[in-house]
Each structure stands twice: as C-alpha cells, then as structure tokens.
Amino acid sequence: MISTGIQNRILFIALAPVLVFGIAFTAWFTKNDMDQQTNAFNNRTETAVNRLADALSLPLQEGRTELVHALLRRALNERDARAVRLFDPFGSEWLESGPTMRGPAYPYSIQDTNRLTRYRTQSTLRYLIPVYPPADLQLRMSTSAPTGWLEIEFDYANTQVAHYRTLLINLMILSLGLIAVSGLAVWLSREISRPVRNMIATVDAIREGNLDARVDLKANGELHDLEVGINSMAETLRDAYEEMQNSVEQATEDLRETLETIEIQNIELDMARREAQQANQVKTEFLANMSHEIRTPLNGIIGFARLLAKSNLTRKQEDYISTILSSSQGLLTIINDVLDFCKIEAGKLMLDNRSMNLRETIEDVLVMLAPASQAKQLEVVSLYYSDVPEQLITDPLRLKQVLTNLVNNAIKFTPKGSIVVRTMIEQAQGNKLMVRISVTDTGIGLSKAEQKALFHAFTQADSSTAREFGGTGLGLVISKRLVEQMGGDIGLESQKDEGSTFWFNIKAEVAPAIQQPPKLTDLSGFTLAVVEPREMSQLALRHQAEQWGMECLIMNQLDELHQHLKQPDTVRPDMALVDVSGFGNDDSLYRQILHIERELHCPTLVLATTRDEDISYKLLEQGAKHYLSTPVRYSQLYQTLVTMLRPEKAGQVDENSSLALGLVRSTVRVLAVDDNPANLKLIITLLESIGVQVDGARNGEDAVKAVQSAQYDLIFMDIQMPGMDGKQATRRIRQMEPAQARVPIIALTAHALAEERQSMLDSGMDDYLTKPVDEDQLHRTLFKWTGTALSYEDTPSVASTADTEAPASLDMETLHGLPVVDFVSGLEKASGKLGLARDMFAMLMDSLEKDQRRMNALYQQGDYKSLLEDVHRLHGATHYCGVPRIQMTAMYTESLLKQGHYAILEDALFLLNEEINELQHWSNDHDWGKVLDQALKVYAYQMQQKSGKRQPS
C-alpha cells in the first residue's frame, strides 16, 4: 500500500506540471490556428461578395439579364460558395442559383439593408449587399435607392474540417509527450518503491509476532538509514515483549484476587437493588393508597360545594364557595401530578392513541385557561400552520396535559405581553408526522443556570419563585416523560428578562381522509377588514381568513377603517372584524362600531374577552348585531362569518328534530355503595336530582344483601371499604346473579394505575370512575350502561307545544291576564316540596340575565339552532318555578323556532325580553322567600280541600 502510494505521488508530481502546461499550450496554439482559419474564411468570402456586387452593377443598370445569369452561375465556382440570390429594387426575389439556402428565408429586412450584412447559421455564412449603379457622380446623385440586392451563402464545412484537423494534430503531440514523461516517472518510482516494499514486508512480519525478522540492507542514502532504524526498533520490541510477559503474569494473579472481591460486592449490590425496588413498590402503593384516602373526603368537598353553588346564596357565600372549589381543584391537580409521576416511575402509564382534532384540542386548552390569561390582560394567540392536518391519531388526553402545563406556566410567569402557541410539521414521511408545538411568552425568562434546574422532580428553576408562583415542580417532569413516551422530545429556549419558548414534538399519524374536516371555501372572494392593534392577534386573524380564501385589509385603529370606508376609490371590505380587547375600556369604541355598521353600512363582528361581563350587554344594548368572546374558536369564527356574509348557507334548524331537557326514566334503579357518608350522600343526591331511584349501602356486606333483596339496573361500587371491600363484594354478586341478568358494576376509586384497573376488571367490574365524581361523569356512565341517561323525547308539556303549529299571534289578553309569579302552581309541580321550589326559582333567577344576553346575541348572529336550545332550556326551567307569563312566551318562541317561522321571531323575542325584565323587577321589589312561604300555605289549603272532596260525605 505504501509503495503504491509513493508510485502514485511520483507519477502525480511528474505528470501534473506536464499535463497542465501541455493542455494550456495546446489550447493556445489550437485557438490561434482556428482563429486564423476563421478570419481567412471571412475575408475571402467577403471579398468575393464585394467583387460580384461590383460586377453586377453595370449589367443590372443596363438590364442585361443573360449576363446577370452568367455572373450568378459563375459565382458558384467560388470556393465554398453554395447558393446565390438576386433581389429587384423592390426587395422581391428575382434570380437565384444553387440549392435553397439553409436557415430562415429572410433573416433580415431586404430594403432596409444599405451596406454589407452578415448572417451566420449553424453550418453556413450568408451575406446580403446592396448593388448600386456604376461609380458615376451625376448618376449616383440622381439615384435614391440601390438597383438590387445580392445574397450569397457560403458553406462553413471545409473550415470546420480544418479546425478539427488542427485540434487532432495538437492532441496527438500532447499525448506523445505525456506518454514519454509517464514512462520516465514509472521507472523512477519503481527504483524508490522496491526498498520501501521490503521494509513493509519486514514490519508486517514484526506486527504478526515474528520479532526476529530483519530488513536486508540494500538501499542507499535516507532509505538505508530507515532500514537500520527498523532493525533497531525490532530488537527493542523483542526486549519489551519479554518484559511485558513477566508483568502480565504478575497482573493476572492480582486480577484473580480482585475478581473474587468484585463478585462479593456484586452479590451485595444485587441485594441492595432488590431492597430498593421493593421500597419503590412500597412507595408507589403508599402514594396510591394516600391518593384514595385524600380523594375520598375531597370528593365530598368538591361535590357538595358544586351542589351548594347551585342553591340560592348571597354574594359573600358565592365567593366562599368559589374559593373552596378553586382550592379543591388546586389540591386535586397536585394529587394528579403526584400520581402521574408515580405511574411514570413505575412504568405503568399507558397511552390511549385515537383519532382527535389537534386544532380543537389546542383551542380547548386556551379556552380553559382564558380566565387566568385575561385576568392579567395577556394576549394569547394560536398559530396553526396550514400544512398541519387537523385530524391526527395520538393520545389527546396526554397531549392536552402537556400543553396545559406549558401554557399555564407561561401565564404564571408572564406579567404582561403575549403568549403564542405555534403548531407546525417538523418531519413528514407518508402518513407519519412529527408535530412540533411551541409556547412562546414575553415573561421573566430563565438564565442558563436556571434552565439546568428544569425537568427535575420537585424542583423549580429558582427556588425563590416557589413562594411567589407556587407549584410542586412536577409539571415539567411529567410533561417531559409524557412527550418521550409519545416518541418526541421537549426543550426550551430562553434569556433572562426576555421571555421563553418551550417546545415539544410528538409522533402522530394522519387520520384517514374520511375523518378529516372538509376544506372551508365558502368565504372565497370576500374582503375582510381586520382592526387589531396587537401584532400577533393581527397575524392569527389574517392567517385564518386567508385560509378561507378571503382578502384581508389590516388596520391598527378604527379611525383607519373610518377613513378607508369614506374614500370612494378604495377597495371596500365586505365586512369588518374588530377586536376591542386591544383598545382598553373606552365607551367611544362602541359608538364608532355602531357608526361603521349603520352609517357606513359595513357589517361588523366584534371580538372581546369574557373578563368584562358587561361588554356583550353594552354591545347589544347599543345595537351591535354580531359579537364573539375570545379566545374565539376556528369553527365558531368561520360559522359566524358565513352567517354574516352568506346567510343562505348558514346552519338552519332541523324542523323535525326535537330537543330534550335531559330527564332520566323513573324506572332506572341504582345502588350506590361507599363507606364514606359524605361521598355516599353526594352520589345519591346527584342521581336523585335527575330522577334516578337510588339505594345506598355503607359496605360490601350491605351491598350483597341489597342485591339479594332487590333488582338494580346499575351499581356504583367503592373499592376500599372495611370488612368486605368492593372487589370481594363484586365477586360475591357475580356468583349470585343469573347469567342472563348481569348487572353493570362501576368502580369508584382513586386508583389509576394500570394494574389496579386490570385488577378491578378481573374481579368482575365493568368500568370505573375516578374520584372526585361530577355530574357529567355520572350522566355519561348512566347512558353508557343503561341507555336511558338522556331521553330524546320532550316532556308532555313541551311535546304538545312542539307538535302543534305555531299560532299566528300570541293571545296578549290571556298573557296579560296571567300573574308574573304564581308560586302555588310551582309548588304543585314540585309536589309540595318547598326546598325544591325555592331552589328551582333561585336557579332560574341566577341564570336569567345571562340567558337573556345569550339569546339576544344568538339571534343577532343568526344562530337559530343554538337559540332554539337556549329557549327550549328556559321553557323547561319555567315549568317548576311558577312563572306562567315567561313560560307562555317561551313556549310561543320555541314553537316559532322549531317550525322555522323566523320572519316573526323578532316580535316574539321582544315579548320574551319584556317578560324577563318584568320578572326581574318583581324579584327586586319583593321578598320572594316570604311570598313562597305564603304560597305554601295556600297550596296546603288547596290540597286539604281536594282531599276533603274525595272523602265520602
């Protein structure tokens, strides 16, 4: 290898200069020869053309056509001449000789040519020259144009052959020179490489262990010194090898003794590892058990606090209940974080990958955290890149958990400014994607030292911030583990006092095309004026509008929109979108918006936060027609724009659909089992509130006895109970019940580890609910296992209204003859239960103002489907409250909506608003608690009279 390398280098050194200079000189000589040949060709042909033009001058003037023909044929005898043409004084072709000329027929203007003109094609050279009369001064002055034009074509082939011949000769000379130099270089390289090859063979022998190999001393000069050095090195290696052998024997003996010591240590380490694993398992079980013990009373606290919040409370009591719920949810979040960390540490966390809408998941997080961000007046924006598919297959719960943690941290550590959530594709291969989501804030930022402390359990970047901002320090650790389990990574980029960017990427699959939402194109061709002073919100709104095919006019202030609309020669927008969140609380804003909508005739959609509860009321009160609260959802914004710009394509209410109040069949009977009295009472109360017949049991033995004595449609079973626990009770019930009458048993537990869930299912349970349990969980579970959680038929009073045709008008005399409040009829509907009647009326009054604003806003937006749901809900609520006038107007309005009589809907809503205002005035002017007590006496007297009539005389 070495000799070959030396030979190549010698050849390169010898040939490189020869090759470079040879090519340079060959190219230079070749170019000179070719240029000389080309110039000779050009001069020769140009001379021939001028000579022929002079010869034709006199015959053309005298009209001697035969002589002209002879001269043209004779011109073809010129060397390389190919064809000749003669044009008359008018530029028309007159005479020609030879074949057809190559290339375009007339590459130049004939009559505009007053001197010799040359045109070259790929293989020929053509000349065009005017022919003037003989050189007679008097005649020339009287002639204003040539007597004709002469065109001759010469073949360039002979000159090209001469070029090739010159190039070939020069290349042959260059090749012969290179061959001679190569032979000399090869001979010199062999003379040098032969002794080197001998030295290489000797070195290879020494490397293979033959330390007695030596080099024959045959070379001269420096190579001789190298041979002597190799022989000396071989002798030194042999001495070192013998010394090494002695050392290895001694080291082997020492190593044998060390291995015995290490083996003993390994046994001790293995025992310690088993003890550590056992301790970790004990820790996991302890955390799970403690979670259950903490969740059990917490379940009662949260549940009864929610029930208490629905009752008639003073403002101070409502504030107390809100504080209790907020603190309880905070405690529940900490418990969930500890449990998630425990599951991750134990390797029991399993992902639930399914089809989900990524855009809606991100919007859910931002809407959920909107109160916190709006309380600090932060700008929160989602930028969803257009190339990211919406429907993906991944774990939506864990994705939402990670994103919630990052956005919540951004809100927590950002005193002012903006938070931007960006969603983009990092990698794509087929239907496999690597999706990147980043959360950028303008908060306090992190130094390099603080960044190193992140992603460690129970620690924060700066321990001094723990008291100010709170937290367990588990959120980022759990997020990191979840992201890694989802096949991605998580990281951050931050500078102190300049904000942070937390990012994570996850692997996902694109859901099938049939599951992807359709492309929204109904807004193509419309122009939207976006009035938004904040840069990121402005960018997000423009990005969404352009995705729908709209043209956007971006403006920072309402004054710009005013000026734009007043100018007649500008592009007029079809509608305006104004986000008042960035302008502060200024009443003049509403007047400007109304002026734009009424005077300048530009439909306007107003966006505002929910932080100011009076914004929507002010807008509607002053006549604004369209309003949305931020953060606004992608689909909600699109539907609103379609409603405003294309009302014929907006969603309409299905005339045949019927909406229900969510009542439960009275035939459903449920057994609730829990050893904690508060939890048991909560479950019973929640189920009874929706019409379920509920029996309670305090332990497993009582549950088994209850099943023996009665038949149930569903059983809610607690797991940890004294005596017979939930699993044992389930097994006993499964043994007793007939195979054809299996009753669903739902576990109530705080255990969420994978092995606990499997253990519950193995014991015979069908499903489980995690404490604390809320109403939504109970409703979904009831529907899943009994099929009767929601009734899709109206109550009798509602159904009778829905099935009848809408009356042409409301009987105003009958309406005004009814009292505003009739608590006696309300007590009749509540079966004489004063507490229920009081709670129902209090709930109605608490939600009435909010429902009124929402119904008016939905009508202004043209969202009749949602309006029907709200009016239907109000109509159903009035049945048990003793408010006959609102009940009658709500029934009439609902009938109009169901049958699509939208033309007269405005009058019905006006009457409904009047009756709602009348009820609110009545509630403010009366102590309705006392009135309800008096009504109870009247109701009791009426019931006594009715019972007396039924007695025999």
Side-chain angles (χ1 to χ4, degrees):
M1 182 184 297
I2 294 178
S3 62
T4 303
I6 291 175
Q7 288 181 359
N8 291 337
R9 292 183 181 182
I10 293 174
L11 288 173
F12 177 76
I13 293 172
L15 292 178
V18 175
L19 184 62
V20 171
F21 288 107
I23 291 175
F25 283 116
T26 301
W28 183 74
F29 283 119
T30 302
K31 183 177 184 305
N32 284 342
D33 289 345
M34 289 183 177
D35 290 343
Q36 291 176 1
Q37 294 168 0
T38 301
N39 291 334
F41 176 79
N42 291 339
N43 294 333
R44 177 169 49 81
T45 55
E46 187 172 340
T47 301
V49 171
N50 288 324
R51 186 171 59 247
L52 181 58
D54 293 340
L56 290 173
S57 175
L58 184 58
L60 283 177
Q61 183 182 13
E62 295 177 353
R64 299 167 64 184
T65 305
E66 294 180 0
L67 181 57
V68 171
H69 271 287
L71 290 175
L72 293 180
R73 288 192 297 271
R74 181 180 174 184
L76 295 179
N77 295 330
E78 291 287 338
R79 182 181 175 186
D80 297 328
R82 184 175 178 276
V84 60
R85 287 191 295 187
L86 186 63
F87 298 89
D88 59 18
F90 302 101
S92 300
E93 185 176 341
W94 179 24
L95 300 175
E96 65 175 347
S97 182
T100 303
M101 293 187 180
R102 297 173 183 171
Y106 301 105
Y108 25 60
S109 176
I110 302 298
Q111 291 182 326
D112 294 338
T113 303
N114 54 14
R115 57 187 178 88
L116 180 65
T117 302
R118 180 186 301 166
Y119 177 76
R120 183 182 295 276
T121 65
Q122 186 176 1
S123 59
T124 64
L125 183 64
R126 290 161 65 175
Y127 291 93
L128 179 67
I129 184 172
V131 180
Y132 290 101
D136 184 276
L137 181 59
Q138 196 71 18
L139 183 58
R140 284 193 180 189
M141 293 179 62
S142 63
T143 302
S144 59
T147 58
W149 282 268
L150 173 67
E151 184 181 21
I152 304 179
E153 182 179 46
F154 293 91
D155 196 343
Y156 199 67
N158 293 331
T159 304
Q160 287 181 336
V161 170
H163 291 344
Y164 296 149
R165 185 184 303 112
T166 301
L167 178 62
L168 179 60
I169 292 173
N170 291 337
L171 289 177
M172 290 177 62
I173 295 173
L174 176 63
S175 300
L176 291 175
L178 290 176
I179 291 172
V181 174
S182 299
L184 179 61
V186 170
W187 178 79
L188 289 174
S189 64
R190 288 180 179 176
E191 289 296 319
I192 296 174
S193 63
R194 188 178 298 111
V196 174
R197 190 178 296 109
N198 293 334
M199 287 185 281
I200 291 174
T202 303
V203 171
D204 289 340
I206 294 172
R207 184 179 59 191
E208 293 174 359
N210 183 12
L211 299 180
D212 295 327
R214 298 293 183 270
V215 181
D216 295 334
L217 302 178
K218 295 181 179 180
N220 297 318
E222 290 84 355
L223 292 178
H224 175 77
D225 295 339
L226 184 57
E227 291 173 344
V228 173
I230 291 174
N231 291 338
S232 300
M233 179 188 65
E235 293 177 1
T236 303
L237 286 175
R238 184 179 60 186
D239 295 339
Y241 179 75
E242 292 176 355
E243 183 179 354
M244 182 189 66
Q245 284 295 107
N246 296 330
S247 300
V248 168
E249 292 177 358
Q250 181 64 36
T252 302
E253 184 64 25
D254 296 340
L255 181 60
R256 186 179 296 109
E257 296 176 359
T258 304
L259 287 176
E260 293 176 356
T261 304
I262 292 176
E263 185 176 358
I264 296 173
Q265 292 178 349
N266 284 339
I267 295 174
E268 294 175 351
L269 289 174
D270 185 62
M271 295 175 61
R273 182 179 62 82
R274 293 181 182 179
E275 292 176 358
Q277 289 178 342
Q278 185 177 2
N280 187 56
Q281 181 66 25
V282 171
K283 179 198 73 173
T284 301
E285 294 178 358
F286 171 76
L287 287 175
N289 291 331
M290 286 303 298
S291 169
H292 178 81
E293 297 300 327
I294 295 173
R295 281 170 178 263
T296 298
L298 187 60
N299 181 33
I301 294 172
I302 295 177
F304 280 102
R306 288 172 177 167
L307 289 177
L308 188 58
K310 297 179 180 180
S311 62
N312 188 21
L313 303 175
T314 64
R315 289 189 175 272
K316 182 177 291 187
Q317 290 171 336
E318 290 177 352
D319 183 56
Y320 292 163
I321 291 298
S322 176
T323 303
I324 292 173
L325 285 172
S326 176
S327 301
S328 302
Q329 290 295 340
L331 178 59
L332 184 62
T333 300
I334 295 174
I335 295 173
N336 290 336
D337 285 346
V338 174
L339 271 181
D340 283 339
F341 181 73
C342 180
K343 286 189 285 185
I344 292 172
E345 287 290 320
K348 303 297 184 181
L349 185 67
M350 304 300 293
L351 297 178
D352 181 17
N353 291 329
R354 60 179 184 269
S355 180
M356 50 84 73
N357 190 297
L358 181 58
R359 187 195 296 272
E360 292 180 357
T361 300
I362 296 173
E363 291 175 345
D364 289 342
V365 173
L366 299 185
V367 171
M368 178 179 64
L369 299 177
S373 62
Q374 293 172 3
K376 301 176 74 173
Q377 298 184 359
L378 298 177
E379 178 189 13
V380 181
V381 176
S382 173
L383 294 179
Y384 195 95
Y385 286 35
S386 57
D387 61 340
V388 183
E390 292 192 19
Q391 204 72 20
L392 300 177
I393 298 177
T394 185
D395 190 331
L397 178 63
R398 297 305 177 185
L399 175 63
K400 186 180 293 186
Q401 184 176 354
V402 174
L403 186 59
T404 300
N405 184 270
L406 297 184
V407 176
N408 191 44
N409 282 346
I411 296 173
K412 185 190 300 182
F413 295 103
T414 304
K416 62 180 181 178
S418 63
I419 298 172
V420 182
V421 180
R422 292 180 173 87
T423 307
M424 65 192 73
I425 292 180
E426 194 169 74
Q427 294 179 1
Q429 186 175 5
N431 67 334
K432 306 288 186 180
L433 297 179
M434 180 69 78
V435 180
R436 178 186 175 101
I437 301 176
S438 64
V439 180
T440 302
D441 62 66
T442 58
I444 61 177
L446 297 169
S447 64
K448 297 295 183 182
E450 292 171 345
Q451 294 179 30
K452 295 179 181 178
L454 290 178
F455 303 109
H456 294 286
F458 303 103
T459 60
Q460 291 189 339
D462 184 2
S463 59
S464 64
T465 65
R467 183 175 299 275
E468 178 182 357
F469 297 104
T472 62
L474 284 176
L476 290 178
V477 181
I478 294 172
S479 299
K480 178 178 175 63
R481 302 289 182 87
L482 289 176
V483 169
E484 289 174 349
Q485 191 161 349
M486 297 170 76
D489 195 10
I490 189 171
L492 80 153
E493 301 167 2
S494 180
Q495 291 186 6
K496 191 67 174 177
D497 300 325
E498 295 186 9
S500 306
T501 296
F502 282 83
W503 58 267
F504 67 94
N505 48 32
I506 58 170
K507 291 182 179 179
E509 294 184 17
V510 181
I514 194 174
Q515 298 182 11
Q516 298 293 336
K519 187 176 181 180
L520 305 178
T521 59
D522 286 344
L523 300 176
S524 298
F526 288 101
T527 301
L528 176 68
V530 178
V531 183
E532 169 60 73
R534 297 173 298 180
E535 180 180 359
M536 299 311 301
S537 297
Q538 185 183 99
L539 177 62
L541 292 173
R542 184 182 68 182
H543 179 67
Q544 290 186 355
E546 289 178 349
Q547 281 186 335
W548 299 327
M550 304 184 75
E551 296 290 335
C552 289
L553 302 176
I554 305 301
M555 302 173 186
N556 294 325
Q557 299 295 332
L558 277 173
D559 293 338
E560 297 180 33
L561 180 58
H562 271 109
Q563 297 298 327
H564 184 86
L565 292 173
K566 290 179 179 179
Q567 296 177 2
D569 56 343
T570 58
V571 177
R572 183 175 181 85
D574 296 291
M575 66 168 291
L577 191 151
V578 181
D579 189 349
V580 299
S581 307
F583 294 101
N585 191 7
D586 185 2
D587 289 339
S588 64
L589 271 168
Y590 307 113
R591 293 192 294 272
Q592 289 179 300
I593 292 172
L594 295 176
H595 179 72
I596 291 173
E597 196 162 29
R598 295 174 179 174
E599 305 298 332
L600 301 179
H601 307 290
C602 179
T604 304
L605 172 61
V606 180
L607 304 182
T609 65
T610 57
R611 183 169 175 264
D612 186 358
E613 296 180 355
D614 295 331
I615 287 180
S616 59
Y617 177 73
K618 290 179 180 178
L619 289 170
L620 296 175
E621 184 182 55
Q622 299 187 35
K625 297 181 179 180
H626 304 283
Y627 163 82
L628 288 177
S629 58
T630 58
V632 61
R633 295 181 181 271
Y634 181 82
S635 57
Q636 184 184 24
L637 178 60
Y638 176 79
Q639 187 59 45
T640 303
L641 294 179
V642 171
T643 302
M644 296 175 65
L645 295 174
R646 292 182 178 270
E648 73 279 0
K649 290 192 175 183
Q652 303 293 333
V653 178
D654 187 0
E655 297 180 3
N656 298 323
S657 63
S658 60
L659 302 174
L661 298 177
L663 302 178
V664 180
R665 280 210 324 250
S666 59
T667 56
V668 176
R669 189 171 184 181
V670 174
L671 175 64
V673 186
D674 201 310
D675 64 319
N676 185 280
N679 283 345
L680 183 60
K681 183 178 179 181
L682 172 64
I683 298 173
I684 292 176
T685 304
L686 291 176
L687 291 173
E688 285 181 344
S689 66
I690 56 175
V692 176
Q693 299 181 24
V694 190
D695 295 335
R698 297 289 297 275
N699 50 53
E701 291 87 350
D702 293 346
V704 173
K705 293 178 182 178
V707 172
Q708 290 175 337
S709 59
Q711 184 176 357
Y712 295 98
D713 299 296
L714 189 68
I715 299 176
F716 290 105
M717 180 75 71
D718 190 22
I719 296 300
Q720 292 186 348
M721 294 183 293
M724 183 183 296
D725 62 17
K727 296 178 185 177
Q728 295 172 345
T730 300
R731 294 190 185 97
R732 186 74 60 83
I733 292 173
R734 293 303 184 213
Q735 294 172 358
M736 296 181 341
E737 66 183 359
Q740 66 275 11
R742 178 185 173 95
V743 57
I745 301 179
I746 311 301
L748 297 176
T749 178
H751 292 293
L753 296 180
E755 66 271 14
E756 288 291 337
R757 179 183 180 185
Q758 190 60 43
S759 174
M760 290 183 289
L761 297 177
D762 293 341
S763 67
M765 294 183 176
D766 300 283
D767 203 347
Y768 78 101
L769 290 179
T770 304
K771 296 179 181 179
V773 179
D774 59 18
E775 292 177 274
D776 291 338
Q777 288 179 301
L778 285 176
H779 292 177
R780 288 194 297 267
T781 304
L782 199 64
F783 174 72
K784 177 179 179 181
W785 293 104
T786 66
T788 56
L790 294 177
S791 171
Y792 291 96
E793 297 176 0
D794 291 327
T795 57
S797 59
V798 178
S800 61
T801 306
D803 293 338
T804 59
E805 292 186 359
S809 63
L810 192 63
D811 189 348
M812 301 302 296
E813 184 177 352
T814 303
L815 177 66
H816 291 149
L818 295 174
V820 177
V821 176
D822 185 3
F823 280 143
V824 176
S825 64
L827 286 168
E828 290 178 355
K829 298 291 180 62
S831 302
K833 296 180 180 179
L834 180 63
L836 179 59
R838 179 180 283 109
D839 290 344
M840 294 298 294
F841 187 78
M843 291 171 61
L844 175 67
M845 296 306 302
D846 289 343
S847 62
L848 195 57
E849 183 177 357
K850 179 180 178 182
D851 292 343
Q852 182 184 20
R853 291 201 301 266
R854 175 177 168 81
M855 287 187 296
N856 290 331
L858 291 173
Y859 173 71
Q860 297 293 341
Q861 296 171 10
D863 190 354
Y864 300 127
K865 184 174 183 180
S866 300
L867 178 61
L868 173 60
E869 295 176 359
D870 283 16
V871 174
H872 181 86
R873 190 184 304 110
L874 176 63
H875 181 203
T878 58
H879 279 277
Y880 304 92
C881 300
V883 284
R885 292 174 64 167
I886 291 184
Q887 180 182 351
M888 185 174 180
T889 52
M891 177 182 65
Y892 174 68
T893 306
E894 182 182 1
S895 300
L896 295 179
L897 283 167
K898 284 191 173 183
Q899 299 183 27
H901 298 291
Y902 304 132
I904 58 176
L905 183 60
E906 184 175 359
D907 294 337
L909 279 176
F910 178 79
L911 292 174
L912 183 58
N913 276 289
E914 278 192 341
E915 296 305 328
I916 291 175
N917 294 334
E918 188 71 23
L919 177 60
Q920 289 174 334
H921 291 322
W922 184 94
S923 177
N924 294 331
D925 296 339
H926 295 78
D927 185 353
W928 56 267
K930 292 182 179 180
V931 177
L932 189 58
D933 292 337
Q934 295 174 358
L936 179 62
K937 297 178 182 178
V938 176
Y939 170 76
Y941 175 77
Q942 291 179 351
M943 290 298 102
Q944 184 178 4
Q945 290 296 108
K946 289 181 181 179
S947 60
K949 289 180 181 180
R950 287 193 297 268
Q951 294 177 357
S953 56

